[in-house]
Amino acid sequence: DKSKFKFVYHGDVAKPSAAKPPSGRYPGYFLVKADVPGGKPTKVDEKATVINFSPKEGSKLMQVSGKGKNSFGEFTLSGLYDPSSGKLSVMKAYKASNNYYDDDDDDDEDDDIDDDDPADAAAELADLKADAEEDIEAIRKRLRDAESSESRKRAK
């Protein structure tokens, strides 16, 4: 789902050009949609965002990459910028936290898809698609609940 966001260049270039934006620090924010209809979105500040712009070979578009940190964690950015329209389209990928994704499942090292049962592969793809469509706040709540449960077990 798309979120409204804003980044503002903070650097040495006195008057940055929209036709050729400078790479550097771009602090800003994005809005997280409310969980309930009619609810107010939550503003998430991103003060340490660094964005790099580079020409995209064979295109008038610019390649965008970057990294930063906010209250959800560390992330990377990747996407495209259209200098003629000023449209910036980026995807944000958060770095996995060791607490939530540590498991003893060694199947992650199995890259040989040829040996996989097609039904198992289809089921795994369906699970991945469902995970990708899940609301980020629901995921955060589930992970907090799991972490809290784990802490209670360790305390006993």
Side-chain angles (χ1 to χ4, degrees), residues 119-148:
D120 289 344
E124 184 173 355
L125 285 172
D127 288 345
L128 289 170
K129 183 177 181 194
D131 288 347
E133 292 172 352
E134 189 173 359
D135 178 63
I136 186 69
E137 290 303 316
I139 295 169
R140 289 183 72 208
K141 182 183 181 323
R142 187 178 71 242
L143 293 174
R144 279 193 305 270
D145 291 348
E147 186 177 69
S148 176

Side-chain angles (χ1 to χ4, degrees), residues 20 23 52-64 80-81 83:
K20 190 173 191 281
S23 295
N52 300 302
F53 294 90
S54 58
K56 184 173 187 216
E57 195 171 317
S59 173
K60 293 182 181 181
L61 300 177
M62 298 185 81
Q63 197 74 40
V64 179
L80 296 171
Y81 174 69

Side-chain angles (χ1 to χ4, degrees), residues 5-17 21-30 43-51 53 77 88:
F5 63 92
K6 180 177 182 178
F7 293 115
V8 178
Y9 174 72
H10 284 228
D12 297 333
V13 178
K15 291 187 177 183
S17 163
S23 295
R25 263 188 62 232
Y26 281 83
Y29 65 88
F30 70 96
K43 182 178 177 182
V44 177
D45 288 318
E46 297 182 327
K47 297 180 180 176
T49 304
V50 175
I51 301 177
F53 294 90
L77 295 171
L88 173 67

Side-chain angles (χ1 to χ4, degrees), residues 8 46 53 63 71 77 84 86 92 107-108 111 124 141 150 152-153:
V8 178
E46 297 182 327
F53 294 90
Q63 197 74 40
S71 58
L77 295 171
S84 64
K92 185 181 289 182
D107 289 341
D108 294 339
D111 292 330
E124 184 173 355
K141 182 183 181 323
E150 190 70 29
R152 285 193 299 271
K153 286 179 186 176

Side-chain angles (χ1 to χ4, degrees), residues 62-73:
M62 298 185 81
Q63 197 74 40
V64 179
S65 63
K67 63 182 179 175
K69 186 176 183 180
N70 60 32
S71 58
F72 293 110

